[in-house]
Amino acid sequence: MDLADIGVTGLATMGRNLARNLARHGYAVAVHNRSHSRTQALVREFGGEGTFVPSEDLAGFVASLKRPRRAIIMVKAGAGTDAVIDQLAELMEPGDMIVDGGNAHFEDTRRREAALRERGLHFVGTGISGGEEGALNGPSIMPGGSKESWEALGPILQDISAKVDGVPCSVHVGPDGAGHFVKMVHNGIEYSDMQLIAESYDLLRQALGATPAELAEVFREWNRGELDSYLIEITAEVLDQVDAETGRPFVDVVVDQAEQKGTGRWTVQSALDLGVPVTGIAEATFARALSGHPEQRAAARSLAGPELSSVGGRELIEDVRQALYASKIVAYAQGFDQMAAASKEYGWDLDLGAMATIWRGGCIIRAKFLDRIRAAYDANPGLPTLLADPTFAGALEAAQDSWRRVVTTAIQIGVPTPGFSSALAYYDGLRRDRLPAALVQGLRDYFGAHTYHRVDKEGTFHTDWSGDRTESPA
């Protein structure tokens, strides 16, 4: 039997398309699925695209791989992943490699990598973004794991990844869980990006009485400028879609409850652990949660709102465009801050400019805008925040008046814009010389003796609030 260069187990849409991508690039691909009929269907339908080596069970799958073996798992994250890893590990030998291409939590990846390393096996937690189309035609690929793993696997991943200006959208992200962490933050930014787009649509529709088709043209126009991105592009397509059954705009026949698979929530939880404010991602996650409570929304429908129901003219479109771009800068800045904090916490040594580079193609948040982020980190690898980069600082300065008008308009007509509002609040908080946190710390010292620092001298202090209110070093 001819042996395969690499294997894929788990042949749902993503796994199947990834296997086809590998085969199209000339690799002999071992394929396996728990339900063998799915394996047979893949070979029957797409066998002409390359060399597939099918197996009915995991033992045959492992036996069909060249040594050292490389096996990619494409199964649902969680207990199922652990089960497949355990089964593969029992069949493999030291030096073999297991690659998890699912949306695993990065802490699970760190645990798995450490356990398999002790057994002499390589484990590579790999973020793959681009959906089913990307998996087939070239995704953005974010592998973690050891440098030795990257040396063996990297050329294959770069070969099948998306390319922008001839540059592969895949690099070695860092050790253990770094790849899945970066993919998690990518998804968090994706949440924020979509929320801001949705708020732009909602505000313009309510304020101007514009139709979805008219707004599709607005988004197409925006996509020709600095907002050029995959999400803006497909927003125009969705808004232009007409429901064949009713003749109504497609967006009006879709139930307004946005689902989520957990990566946005993971991003916010991790940010809280790291002490990094990712307010845009958090608000986007909470907005989905709010949409998923129709009983509460129905009960609150009679609550009072503003008398004004529409406002503004065509100039509001440009204001919203500026606010969308400014808020997008903030969302990405927060995501990159989170990656920087995690890199320091876990000793990953992440190259933030490289992360912007591999997100330029294949992935859901791919955008021309990422070239500017890459340039910012190329110019200053130690940049404390993207908002301090001269290019982005200038864009924010140019946009801020429009940004404030947009938030004001939304408040006036009662349209919720948590993404725009939180991004502006973050911007204003970051640029302030003094924040009211001084009062918060004073209150903490009053009720809990939590101490405080002074602006005029070194040390930690406490005031005797229940006594004579004298201050003493803590």
Side-chain angles (χ1 to χ4, degrees):
M1 180 180 68
D2 292 334
L3 297 180
D5 301 305
I6 193 166
V8 178
T9 179
L11 300 177
T13 302
M14 285 290 289
R16 180 188 63 192
N17 283 0
L18 190 67
R20 292 174 59 196
N21 188 352
L22 287 160
R24 287 177 172 187
H25 281 81
Y27 299 101
V29 187
V31 288
H32 166 265
N33 193 76
R34 186 173 59 179
S35 171
H36 188 55
S37 61
R38 185 167 281 177
T39 306
Q40 293 173 312
L42 168 63
V43 176
R44 183 174 60 251
E45 294 175 37
F46 305 109
E49 295 183 343
T51 302
F52 295 101
V53 183
S55 297
E56 290 192 41
D57 54 35
L58 276 177
F61 172 73
V62 171
S64 70
L65 293 168
K66 293 177 183 176
R67 291 180 172 85
R69 302 176 180 94
R70 292 170 290 201
I72 302 175
I73 300 172
M74 297 296 291
V75 300
K76 186 176 180 180
T81 301
D82 276 320
V84 176
I85 290 171
D86 290 342
Q87 293 173 58
L88 282 175
E90 288 297 325
L91 296 165
M92 286 184 157
E93 300 170 342
D96 290 346
M97 182 188 305
I98 298 174
V99 182
D100 178 11
N103 270 334
H105 192 284
F106 78 98
E107 289 286 13
D108 287 337
T109 302
R110 298 186 76 211
R111 168 179 57 79
R112 292 163 180 158
E113 193 276 337
L116 292 179
R117 187 175 355 111
E118 289 186 0
R119 301 175 63 166
L121 298 173
H122 295 286
F123 185 73
V124 182
T126 302
I128 301 176
S129 178
E132 57 186 88
E133 179 184 346
L136 180 61
N137 298 315
S140 175
I141 309 177
M142 297 151 261
S146 67
K147 291 181 179 179
E148 293 79 9
S149 299
W150 171 252
E151 290 170 3
L153 184 67
I156 297 176
L157 298 184
Q158 291 190 323
D159 197 13
I160 68 168
S161 72
K163 312 292 188 302
V164 176
D165 301 328
V167 178
C169 292
S170 181
V171 296
H172 180 225
V173 175
D176 54 72
H180 275 143
F181 186 92
V182 167
K183 174 57 162 58
M184 177 190 75
V185 173
H186 164 283
N187 285 21
I189 293 172
E190 179 186 307
Y191 273 51
S192 184
D193 217 340
M194 286 193 285
Q195 176 65 25
L196 293 168
I197 289 170
E199 290 179 16
S200 300
Y201 148 76
D202 192 27
L203 180 57
L204 289 175
R205 188 171 186 185
Q206 299 306 315
L208 303 180
T211 67
E214 290 170 337
L215 292 176
E217 289 307 311
V218 170
F219 279 94
R220 287 196 180 96
E221 178 61 32
W222 287 355
N223 201 45
R224 299 185 187 104
E226 59 193 1
L227 286 171
D228 179 1
S229 67
Y230 173 69
L231 284 172
I232 295 291
E233 176 188 342
I234 66 172
T235 296
E237 296 301 311
V238 172
L239 290 177
D240 223 8
Q241 180 73 5
V242 174
D243 177 55
E245 184 175 339
T246 64
R248 298 171 60 195
F250 168 78
V251 73
D252 287 346
V253 301
V254 176
V255 174
D256 58 338
Q257 296 177 35
E259 298 178 359
Q260 51 185 312
K261 292 186 175 180
T263 46
R265 183 171 64 250
W266 289 350
T267 307
V268 176
Q269 290 168 340
S270 167
L272 290 171
D273 291 338
L274 292 167
V276 179
V278 292
T279 55
I281 299 170
E283 290 294 352
T285 304
F286 289 137
R288 293 195 189 191
L290 176 64
S291 78
H293 286 279
E295 71 293 339
Q296 291 181 338
R297 293 166 57 198
R301 197 112 336 129
S302 61
L303 292 175
E307 294 183 7
L308 197 62
S309 59
S310 63
V311 69
R314 301 294 296 180
E315 65 275 5
L316 181 61
I317 294 175
E318 173 59 16
D319 279 349
V320 172
R321 185 191 71 81
Q322 292 270 20
L324 176 56
Y325 186 56
S327 300
K328 183 184 179 83
I329 293 172
V330 168
Y332 279 72
Q334 291 177 347
F336 276 79
D337 287 348
Q338 184 172 0
M339 289 190 290
S343 180
K344 183 177 180 180
E345 176 71 17
Y346 301 114
W348 287 338
D349 194 26
L350 297 183
D351 181 343
L352 298 181
M355 299 308 100
T357 298
I358 66 173
W359 287 350
R360 294 184 304 156
C363 69
I364 303 303
I365 63 171
R366 60 186 183 265
K368 183 172 71 174
F369 164 84
L370 284 154
D371 280 322
R372 298 179 182 178
I373 296 179
R374 182 186 61 174
Y377 283 111
D378 284 348
N380 183 5
L383 193 65
T385 170
L386 277 174
L387 274 59
D389 173 75
T391 298
F392 289 121
L396 292 168
E397 181 179 359
Q400 71 152 329
D401 288 343
S402 291
W403 202 0
R404 297 181 193 284
R405 282 194 294 268
V406 164
V407 173
T408 301
T409 298
I411 293 169
Q412 287 177 326
I413 65 174
V415 172
T417 55
F420 285 149
S421 301
S422 67
L424 181 58
Y426 177 84
Y427 170 79
D428 282 336
L430 207 59
R431 68 179 186 81
R432 284 283 300 277
D433 179 53
R434 291 276 293 170
L435 292 171
L439 176 58
V440 172
Q441 196 61 20
L443 295 172
R444 293 182 73 243
D445 188 59
Y446 191 109
F447 66 69
H450 292 296
T451 73
Y452 53 88
H453 298 283
R454 295 177 58 98
V455 299
D456 53 359
K457 56 185 173 182
E458 295 294 322
T460 303
F461 301 89
H462 167 63
T463 292
D464 183 7
W465 296 102
S466 60
D468 61 6
R469 302 203 174 189
T470 57
E471 181 183 83
S472 60

